[in-house]
Amino acid sequence: MTQVEDLRTKARFLFDAAVAAADPARAVQRGFAQSPLPPQQPGGRTILIAVGKAAPAMLGEALKAIPDADVALAVTHHENDATLQGAELLRAGHPVPDEAGARAAQRVIDVVSKATEKDRIVALISGGGSALLPAPPPGVSLTDKARLNDLLLSAGLDIVQMNLVRQQVSLLKGGGLARLAAPAPVYAYLLSDVIGDDLRAIASGPTVSPIGTAEDAVKLLKSSDIWDATPASIRSHLEQARHAVPDRLPPTQNTLVGSNRLSLEAMAKEAHQNGLTPRIVNDSLTGDVSDAARHVLTEMTAKGEPTALLFGGETTVKLTGTGRGGRNQELALRIAMAAPALADQWVFLSGGTDGRDGPTDAAGGLVDRGTLPRIKAAGADAEALLANNDSHAALAAGGDLLMTRATGTNVADVQVLLIAP
């Protein structure tokens, strides 16, 4: 095995360690230990609702602790092929909402809205839940919501900004689930895919107060130059909602059970066990992917010992082309194209812990200083493909796609830069 092959193998080990640290079952165990559920009231029901990319695993673990739950319902994405005994498992579209998601949202609404003060609702929430449960208000169609989602993604907004708007065009987001469940108490356990772990932004906050108001959403859409392109039904809804007094959120217990930072710490431990000196450089690598690439590139200097530089976050890509890719693939490609000619060997990995990067079959990219020559040898033009936001095609040509199956969890993205003298 060559040195670069060894580094690539170790980079994948570190990525796998990040995913393992975000294991949904262990997260639920931590949550129940940290914030135990109160006893079920006589004559009351226990209703388990799991939503997100980690929903099946989280619900499966919860059922071990509460095997006699009266209702057990999970909603996850189509690519999650997990099975779940003793529960209703629904799948929906992500990142773009679909009709299956609309039906799943209605099912959740039907279940929680029938709860009484004697019941208890246990909500298990993970990343991806925002798109999986599209519940548009009256007068807004699913097509209009999908169009809004496309506009938010293409505008390069970060996850908090996108969720600020999404919450204002939903019956479930921004505390909507908790409001529909009242008077039943809600106990929520959240696996964070949001950098900084703002509970309002995880799955658009179905059990917490909204990030902002309808007025804030209108201002953001206008400042991002997508207000005029926003469907008329949504603009009308937001204009009316600007003058309404928001409902007060019922009392809800929210417990954070997993995060990106925990995964970075697990990567550092794995790096040390593999003979590397680890350092968490940045646990909030956010903003435009080109800026993130420049930040990573400043760390690409010669090292006196095998080193693992670790990053975590969630960047954004402003789409200008028609190609296919994702923020992790584009970040990896940008690093490969701009990396300095070190005497040292280096490998860079950027991947989504959910196993999926954008609307592609890849989790991200794994590149080294041989990436560009391989792309060129395959007859592809890396610069032209990047200009067209076609990072998937470029990395595929170089054999540098990071391929995993859906992991069943999601704590945003992680990056690994390995440098060996």
Side-chain angles (χ1 to χ4, degrees), residues 231-267:
S233 64
I234 293 177
R235 284 185 279 132
S236 176
H237 168 75
L238 291 174
E239 289 287 4
Q240 294 178 29
R242 291 169 71 178
H243 307 292
V245 178
D247 295 333
R248 189 173 182 178
L249 187 72
T252 305
Q253 174 184 291
N254 290 287
T255 302
L256 182 68
V257 298
S259 69
N260 185 269
R261 178 72 192 194
L262 289 176
S263 285
L264 290 179
E265 292 171 357
M267 292 170 72

Side-chain angles (χ1 to χ4, degrees), residues 252-327:
T252 305
Q253 174 184 291
N254 290 287
T255 302
L256 182 68
V257 298
S259 69
N260 185 269
R261 178 72 192 194
L262 289 176
S263 285
L264 290 179
E265 292 171 357
M267 292 170 72
K269 182 178 180 180
E270 179 72 16
H272 181 74
Q273 292 174 348
N274 277 273
L276 301 162
T277 299
R279 178 165 64 93
I280 298 176
V281 178
N282 190 336
D283 62 1
S284 57
L285 190 66
T286 57
D288 187 80
V289 68
S290 60
D291 294 332
R294 284 191 287 271
H295 176 60
V296 173
L297 288 166
T298 63
E299 298 290 338
M300 294 191 72
T301 57
K303 309 295 180 183
E305 58 186 349
T307 303
L309 303 177
L310 309 176
F311 307 78
E314 187 169 277
T315 61
T316 56
V317 176
K318 192 161 186 177
L319 298 177
T320 57
T322 59
R324 294 175 64 243
R327 57 183 180 265

Side-chain angles (χ1 to χ4, degrees), residues 5-28:
E5 289 172 338
D6 179 59
L7 290 177
R8 289 175 71 95
T9 298
K10 288 179 178 178
R12 181 59 190 265
F13 284 163
L14 268 60
F15 177 78
D16 291 343
V19 172
D23 177 72
R26 284 195 281 178
V28 171

Side-chain angles (χ1 to χ4, degrees), residues 33 84 173 213 243 248 272 363 381 402:
L84 191 59
K173 299 174 176 60
T213 64
H243 307 292
R248 189 173 182 178
H272 181 74
D381 185 333
L402 175 64

Side-chain angles (χ1 to χ4, degrees), residues 1 152 201 219 259 316 320 329 348:
M1 180 182 291
L152 296 173
K219 289 180 179 178
S259 69
T316 56
T320 57
Q329 292 165 77
F348 178 76

Side-chain angles (χ1 to χ4, degrees), residues 184-251:
V186 176
Y187 306 91
Y189 299 87
L190 301 97
L191 182 63
S192 175
D193 66 331
V194 176
I195 304 308
D197 301 327
D198 186 342
L199 303 189
R200 301 171 302 171
I202 303 169
S204 289
T207 62
V208 297
S209 298
I211 295 170
T213 64
E215 176 72 24
D216 295 328
V218 171
K219 289 180 179 178
L220 179 59
L221 291 171
K222 288 183 177 180
S223 65
S224 302
D225 296 324
I226 54 177
W227 172 255
D228 292 339
T230 299
S233 64
I234 293 177
R235 284 185 279 132
S236 176
H237 168 75
L238 291 174
E239 289 287 4
Q240 294 178 29
R242 291 169 71 178
H243 307 292
V245 178
D247 295 333
R248 189 173 182 178
L249 187 72

